[in-house]
């Protein structure tokens, strides 16, 4: 089979390979072409489609292009299928020739050259119409990539079916696997790479792919002995990585190595890679997951992500947490964040507040990283940080080590993979058996851990009865009870539970624990500014508080108060924003909402907020009882339509991008401080205190202000949202960062 020589210098960050064709096909008159994916800031399985024909690289016009054409492109590149395609030069404009226009494919063609078109070089398009594709990351099993080395300066990228770190027998039971021989799968066979030209930068890329922040030294002698005993099957190329690549598939292919049996790698041996795991993933024997994950990073953190290793990027500056603007945000900067936090390289650099909007200042804008910084805070950025809103908050998804967490838990009986009865793998009488979880005290926090462990996102509901889900009858026995989670755990095992001695009064069966999971969740945040600006005192007569008294909105001394006496009320407005990715909806169905005759509307949540006044030593001295709410969209950001309104038994909730305002002059929007003595206090508001509805971030559900009361006037100042300030502020506001509240 003849192939044209490569002659042009290609742009950086591209994918290039020659695909195997049937000899009959090339003899039948169909032009033989090569394809590659090109473009900046992309993953290795997506990009602008480029065609090598007649010795020149060119692009493809988006006219008449379809998902069927994308499927042909992806399969020709060795991927199993196409996920989508993009018109209008989404991956940047190409240069030179536009080889194909009005491409029409049925989907079964072996090559893009077999699809209908105007003919090679016949086009009325501009490069603003260059087409791009996104392929499924999975490779075609047994696919043989043929590399054309006619021009080594072309810089072909590494193309293989799969990559693995193959641990030695001594390390195979350790989780995660951090060290071993590196093997690549090509043409259906696993092969080693000769280490003669292997570099630390290559190892850095491999470690990043597998969820590790860096590489380390290893005992070469022991691996030399092992290598002598093993049958070698070398891959025919070396590898050249800069160390910044997110995947081996974006590294350049090195020189071809002549395959001559054992003398192929005469001065070397098979490549060994040894990686340093991040804090959360220290190797352990597979049964020993006991540590819950706690982020201890002082300068950068992730918020709002369902899974470990993903979230909105937040940085600490002058003691205040803020966000990063997505201008120029790319995979290189995202990888600096991921490695800094103990993960591997970045899978995705997300823009447009894809993982929810943050609060506070936007600290960094137009971030540019070399890729080797120890912290995002070392990267160059625009210090003015002008012109960015939280709608442009940057986020990341990082590679994390394969821990096998999902193999020890399953959902059964649900209508879809995102719901079902929770079944866990537990050791009983020396063997591993599947069983159910006792639903006593089972709630949203426990459900959140289950969904995270299975990689299914956030919890949408926690169920204490699952009789309507037919689980595996052999797993009916309860094997886990007394489960209590803080919400930060990576697995259900890490939560508090009874251990081997199960105690479950109601038993399993219909009372086994269940969950439903969702990819997105709401995130409620109270406006600290509105609370601080609207706080005041009002003395109100008891006869004007009859309705509020019926709703339990006054302190207990009001039960004995004379109708002509006065109550002193600390009043304020609440403006509760939904900054998440899905609407906040009450858990209770409308038929169970409670009608309040006095206020003439339904309350959809039994407990939605707590208002408290607390002494500086932590003692509660007064409380409001704004227990239940009618939830609705009072105002929304520009372009967002209100969906929820309490009037006329309407639907209740808070839309993403909207807020529910409870004005200071509404009944129960207060704390009764009639019996409070003058002094300094902490004024505290907690939204969704019982975690009744799942949210992407509970740390920002608490607000604390300093308050000074002199017996006649009150000053409220320095209001802070939980998690918005550095740990130094913890001394001023105990519990502010951790939101340590009793949730049941």
């Amino acid at each position: 089979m003849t192939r044209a020589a490569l002659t042009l210098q290609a742009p950086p960050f591209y994918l290039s390979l020659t695909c195997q064709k049937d000899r009959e096909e090339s003899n039948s008159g169909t032009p033989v072409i090569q394809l590659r994916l090109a473009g900046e800031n992309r993953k290795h399985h997506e990009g602008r489609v480029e065609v090598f024909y007649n010795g020149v690289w060119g692009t493809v016009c988006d006219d008449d292009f379809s998902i069927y054409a994308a499927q042909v492109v992806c399969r020709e590149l060795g991927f199993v299928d196409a996920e989508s395609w993009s018109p209008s030069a989404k991956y940047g404009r190409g240069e030179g020739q536009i080889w194909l226009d009005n491409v029409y494919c049925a989907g079964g063609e072996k090559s893009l050259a077999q699809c209908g078109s105007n003919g090679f070089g016949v086009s009325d398009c501009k490069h603003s119409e260059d087409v791009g594709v996104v392929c499924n990351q999975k490779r075609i099993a047994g696919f043989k990539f043929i590399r054309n080395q006619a021009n080594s300066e072309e810089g072909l990228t590494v193309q293989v079916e799969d990559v693995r770190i193959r641990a030695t027998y001594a390390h195979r039971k350790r989780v995660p696997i951090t060290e071993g021989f590196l093997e690549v799968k090509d043409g259906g066979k696993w092969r080693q790479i000769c280490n003669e030209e292997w570099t630390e930068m290559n190892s850095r890329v491999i470690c990043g792919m597998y969820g590790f922040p860096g590489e380390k030294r290893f005992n070469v002698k022991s691996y030399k002995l092992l290598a002598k005993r093993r049958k070698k099957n070398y891959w025919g190329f070396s590898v050249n990585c800069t160390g910044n690549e997110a995947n081996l598939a974006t590294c350049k292919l090195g020189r071809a190595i002549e395959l001559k049996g054992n003398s192929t790698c005469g001065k070397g041996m098979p490549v060994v890679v040894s990686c340093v795991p991040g804090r959360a993933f220290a190797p352990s024997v597979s049964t020993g997951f006991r540590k819950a994950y706690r982020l201890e990073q002082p300068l950068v953190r992730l918020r709002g992500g369902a899974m470990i290793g993903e979230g909105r990027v937040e940085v600490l500056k002058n003691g205040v947490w803020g966000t990063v603007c997505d201008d120029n945000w790319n995979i290189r900067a995202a990888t600096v964040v991921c490695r800094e936090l103990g993960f591997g390289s970045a899978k995705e650099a997300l823009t447009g507040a894809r993982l929810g909007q943050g609060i506070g200042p936007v600290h960094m804008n137009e971030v540019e990283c070399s890729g080797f910084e120890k912290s995002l805070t070392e990267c160059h950025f625009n210090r003015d940080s002008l012109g960015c809103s939280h709608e442009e908050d940057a986020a990341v998804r990082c590679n994390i080590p394969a821990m096998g967490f999902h193999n020890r838990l399953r959902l059964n009986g649900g209508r879809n993979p995102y719901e079902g009865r929770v079944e866990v793998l537990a050791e009983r009488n020396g063997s591993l058996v599947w069983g159910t979880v006792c639903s006593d005290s089972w709630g949203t926090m426990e459900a959140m851990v289950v969904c995270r462990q299975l990689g299914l996102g956030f919890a949408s509901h926690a169920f204490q009865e699952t009789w309507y889900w037919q689980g595996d009858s052999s797993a009916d026995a309860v094997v886990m009870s007394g489960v209590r989670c803080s919400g930060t755990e990576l697995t259900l095992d890490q939560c508090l539970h009874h251990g081997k001695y199960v105690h479950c009064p109601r038993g399993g069966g219909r009372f086994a624990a269940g969950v439903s999971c969702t990819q997105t969740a709401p995130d409620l945040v109270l406006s600290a500014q509105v609370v601080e600006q609207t706080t005041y005192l009002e003395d109100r007569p008891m006869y004007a508080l009859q309705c509020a008294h019926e709703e339990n909105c006054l302190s207990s001394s009001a039960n004995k108060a004379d109708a002509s006496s006065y109550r002193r009320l600390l009043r304020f407005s609440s403006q509760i924003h939904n900054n998440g990715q899905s609407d906040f909806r009450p858990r209770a169905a409308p038929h169970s909402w409670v009608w309040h005759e006095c206020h003439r509307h339904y309350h959809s949540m039994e407990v939605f907020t707590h208002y408290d006044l607390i002494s500086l030593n932590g003692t509660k001295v007064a409380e409001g009882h704004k227990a239940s709410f009618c939830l609705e969209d009072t105002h929304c950001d520009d372009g967002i339509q209100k969906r929820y309104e309490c009037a006329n038994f309407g639907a209740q909730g808070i839309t993403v991008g909207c807020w529910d305002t409870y004005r200071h002059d509404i009944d129960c929007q207060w704390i009764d401080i009639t019996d409070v003595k003058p002094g300094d206090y902490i004024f505290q508001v907690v939204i969704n205190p019982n975690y009744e509805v799942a949210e992407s971030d509970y740390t920002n559900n608490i607000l604390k202000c300093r308050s000074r009361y002199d017996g006649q006037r009150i000053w409220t100042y320095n209001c802070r949202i939980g998690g918005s300030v550095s740990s130094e502020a913890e001394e001023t506001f105990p519990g502010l960062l951790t939101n340590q509240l009793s949730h049941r």
Side-chain angles (χ1 to χ4, degrees):
M1 180 173 71
T2 59
R3 286 186 292 276
L6 308 179
T7 55
L8 291 186
Q9 183 65 37
F13 307 114
Y14 70 89
L15 178 108
S16 174
L17 51 87
T18 306
C19 301
Q20 190 174 35
K21 308 284 191 305
D22 295 325
R23 194 171 295 276
E24 296 77 27
E25 178 188 314
S26 57
N27 291 338
S28 67
T30 302
V32 175
I33 62 171
Q34 293 181 46
L35 297 183
R36 71 182 180 193
L37 301 179
E40 297 282 347
N41 295 335
R42 60 178 189 84
K43 298 189 276 288
H44 69 277
H45 54 95
E46 65 179 11
R48 180 175 62 247
V49 179
E50 296 196 349
V51 179
F52 189 73
Y53 174 73
N54 202 24
V56 176
W57 283 104
T59 63
V60 178
C61 183
D62 58 20
D63 293 348
D64 290 343
F65 203 84
S66 67
I67 190 66
Y68 300 113
Q71 287 168 352
V72 173
V73 168
C74 290
R75 285 198 292 269
E76 194 167 0
L77 289 168
F79 299 101
V80 294
D81 204 356
E83 289 186 355
S84 62
W85 66 278
S86 306
S88 308
K90 178 186 174 182
Y91 296 97
R93 300 181 183 197
E95 295 178 349
Q97 289 277 359
I98 298 175
W99 275 131
L100 293 171
D101 187 10
N102 296 109
V103 174
Y104 175 80
C105 302
E109 294 87 350
K110 294 276 180 66
S111 168
L112 196 63
Q114 291 180 334
C115 298
S117 72
N118 294 348
F120 280 86
V122 182
S123 169
D124 59 358
C125 293
K126 298 175 182 175
H127 281 297
S128 59
E129 300 169 83
D130 285 345
V131 79
V133 298
V134 179
C135 301
N136 185 304
Q137 290 192 56
K138 194 175 179 186
R139 291 289 192 182
I140 296 171
F143 193 91
K144 181 67 178 172
F145 298 90
I146 301 173
R147 286 95 184 163
N148 188 335
Q149 289 292 296
N151 185 346
S152 60
E153 289 184 7
E154 181 60 33
L156 297 172
T157 49
V158 175
Q159 295 305 315
V160 290
E161 279 180 66
D162 205 355
V163 187
R164 72 182 181 189
I165 298 174
R166 188 176 181 188
T168 61
Y169 289 110
H171 291 126
R172 282 190 190 164
K173 287 189 177 178
R174 291 170 76 86
V175 177
I177 291 172
T178 59
E179 184 176 296
F181 289 105
L182 179 69
E183 297 187 339
V184 294
K185 196 175 190 182
D186 190 20
K189 292 181 180 177
W190 287 104
R191 305 174 194 274
Q192 301 90 39
I193 298 176
C194 177
N195 75 346
E196 282 180 358
E197 296 177 19
W198 189 260
T199 66
E200 284 185 9
M201 292 299 102
N202 295 349
S203 293
R204 174 181 162 90
V205 171
I206 297 295
C207 290
M209 279 176 65
Y210 283 95
F212 304 112
E215 74 290 345
K216 64 180 176 67
R217 297 177 182 277
F218 56 91
N219 184 342
V220 179
K221 285 183 181 178
S222 62
Y223 281 100
K224 270 188 176 174
L225 288 170
L226 280 169
K228 282 180 182 176
R229 297 181 205 144
R230 294 180 68 196
K231 185 180 178 184
K232 298 175 190 67
N233 181 13
Y234 282 108
W235 191 53
F237 299 89
S238 62
V239 173
N240 294 326
C241 302
T242 66
N244 266 328
E245 296 86 352
N247 193 290
L248 185 67
T250 49
C251 292
K252 295 290 194 298
L253 196 67
R255 69 178 182 88
I257 293 170
E258 202 172 344
L259 298 175
K260 290 182 179 177
N262 284 342
S263 61
T264 298
C265 189
K267 297 177 184 176
M269 57 179 261
V271 166
V272 174
V273 173
S274 183
C275 305
V276 182
R279 279 184 306 274
F281 307 103
S284 59
V285 179
S286 57
T287 55
F289 304 109
R290 287 288 175 262
K291 281 194 325 236
Y293 175 60
R294 291 288 190 282
L295 200 63
E296 298 164 25
Q297 175 53 242
L299 294 176
V300 178
R301 70 184 185 187
L302 301 182
R303 282 286 185 270
M307 312 309 301
I308 185 171
E310 69 175 42
R312 179 177 60 254
V313 179
E314 298 190 350
V315 294
L316 188 65
K317 182 180 177 184
N318 299 330
V320 177
W321 286 99
T323 61
V324 177
C325 184
D326 63 11
D327 293 350
N328 298 348
W329 187 247
N330 60 25
I331 204 85
R332 189 173 288 191
T335 291
V336 171
V337 170
C338 291
R339 291 188 191 273
E340 178 180 5
L341 295 176
F343 308 117
S345 50
K347 283 192 289 192
E348 284 185 281
L350 301 169
T351 57
R354 282 268 304 278
L355 296 183
Q357 294 185 26
I359 57 174
V362 178
H363 281 326
M364 298 177 80
N365 188 7
E366 297 172 11
V367 177
E368 287 185 28
C369 303
S370 72
F372 292 97
E373 293 86 353
K374 296 291 184 193
S375 170
L376 185 71
T377 56
E378 295 174 12
C379 297
H380 294 289
F381 64 97
N382 178 353
R383 295 184 180 276
D384 296 329
S385 292
L386 300 173
C388 262
S389 70
H390 286 300
E391 293 175 358
E392 300 169 86
D393 283 344
V396 297
R397 287 198 176 103
C398 307
N399 285 313
I400 64 167
M403 302 295 287
F405 290 148
H406 60 285
N407 298 324
R408 300 161 54 196
L409 191 71
R410 68 188 184 192
L411 301 183
N412 230 322
R415 296 161 295 180
N416 58 60
Y418 285 82
E419 67 176 23
R421 185 175 84 173
V422 179
E423 295 177 1
V424 297
L425 197 58
E427 191 177 331
R428 289 291 177 268
N429 301 323
S431 60
L432 290 172
V433 296
W434 287 99
T436 57
V437 179
C438 184
S439 65
D440 287 1
S441 79
W442 186 259
T444 304
M445 282 303 188
E446 290 71 37
M448 285 287 232
V449 174
V450 167
C451 295
R452 179 183 302 129
Q453 185 173 346
L454 291 171
L456 298 178
F458 301 99
S460 55
H461 290 291
F463 299 96
Q464 294 192 342
E465 289 189 23
T466 51
W467 51 268
Y468 36 79
W469 285 332
Q470 192 63 49
D472 187 338
S473 58
S474 67
D476 280 346
V478 176
V479 295
M480 196 177 206
S481 63
V483 182
R484 295 292 292 264
C485 304
S486 69
T488 60
E489 297 88 353
L490 298 182
T491 72
L492 209 57
D493 287 352
Q494 292 175 351
C495 300
L496 292 172
H497 59 281
H498 288 155
K500 293 182 179 178
Y501 303 99
V502 172
H503 176 67
C504 190
R506 292 199 300 174
R510 61 173 292 184
F511 295 113
V515 301
S516 64
C517 305
T518 177
Q519 288 296 308
T520 58
D523 182 21
L524 298 188
V525 185
L526 192 68
S527 169
Q529 188 179 13
V530 169
V531 171
E532 194 165 322
Q533 291 174 353
T534 58
T535 310
Y536 66 100
L537 292 181
E538 182 192 13
D539 289 339
R540 196 168 177 84
M542 271 299 295
Y543 63 77
L545 292 168
Q546 185 179 351
C547 199
H549 195 195
E550 286 177 18
E551 277 198 45
N552 250 349
C553 295
L554 302 173
S555 63
S556 56
S557 64
N559 296 333
K560 300 173 184 176
D562 186 82
S564 60
S565 64
Y566 282 75
R567 307 301 295 179
R568 178 156 289 177
L569 307 176
L570 167 58
R571 308 200 70 150
F572 58 96
S573 295
S574 291
Q575 191 180 95
I576 299 162
H577 294 243
N578 183 357
N579 287 352
Q581 297 173 274
S582 60
D583 295 355
F584 185 94
R585 300 291 306 275
R587 185 180 172 189
H591 69 266
S592 61
W593 294 353
V594 179
W595 174 258
H596 282 261
E597 185 63 35
C598 269
H599 295 139
R600 306 295 298 170
H601 60 227
Y602 283 93
H603 285 183
S604 57
M605 288 184 71
E606 185 183 339
V607 179
F608 181 62
T609 51
H610 284 165
Y611 304 150
D612 298 305
L613 202 64
I614 300 168
S615 69
L616 296 185
N617 68 7
T619 308
K620 190 186 294 184
V621 296
E623 64 179 32
H625 192 71
K626 190 66 185 171
S628 45
F629 261 53
C630 125
L631 298 167
E632 65 180 5
D633 296 327
T634 312
H635 296 286
C636 295
D637 291 332
D638 290 345
I640 296 177
Q641 192 77 31
K642 293 181 183 179
R643 294 184 187 176
Y644 304 105
E645 189 175 10
C646 294
N648 303 317
F649 197 38
Q652 293 196 20
I654 307 175
T655 304
V656 175
C658 299
W659 56 95
D660 187 0
T661 301
Y662 272 73
R663 285 172 49 87
H664 56 82
D665 52 4
I666 294 174
D667 252 9
C668 299
Q669 189 61 33
W670 62 58
I671 297 176
D672 181 353
I673 64 165
T674 307
D675 308 315
V676 173
K677 296 174 182 175
D680 286 313
Y681 298 97
I682 292 172
F683 169 38
Q684 176 179 282
V685 180
V686 187
I687 312 166
N688 192 16
N690 294 349
Y691 309 133
E692 193 176 321
V693 177
E695 296 185 47
S696 60
D697 186 358
Y698 287 109
T699 61
N700 57 20
N701 281 30
I702 188 168
L703 171 128
K704 293 194 179 191
C705 307
R706 295 299 301 263
S707 284
R708 174 163 289 179
Y709 176 48
D710 69 358
Q712 295 301 321
R713 293 168 300 172
I714 197 158
W715 291 266
T716 303
Y717 59 98
N718 206 11
C719 292
R720 299 286 189 199
I721 298 293
S724 64
V725 292
S726 67
S727 53
E728 283 75 23
E730 178 74 350
E731 296 169 15
T732 315
F733 298 104
L736 181 66
L737 291 172
T738 54
N739 191 6
Q740 288 179 347
L741 301 159
S742 170
H743 64 277
R744 279 195 269 298

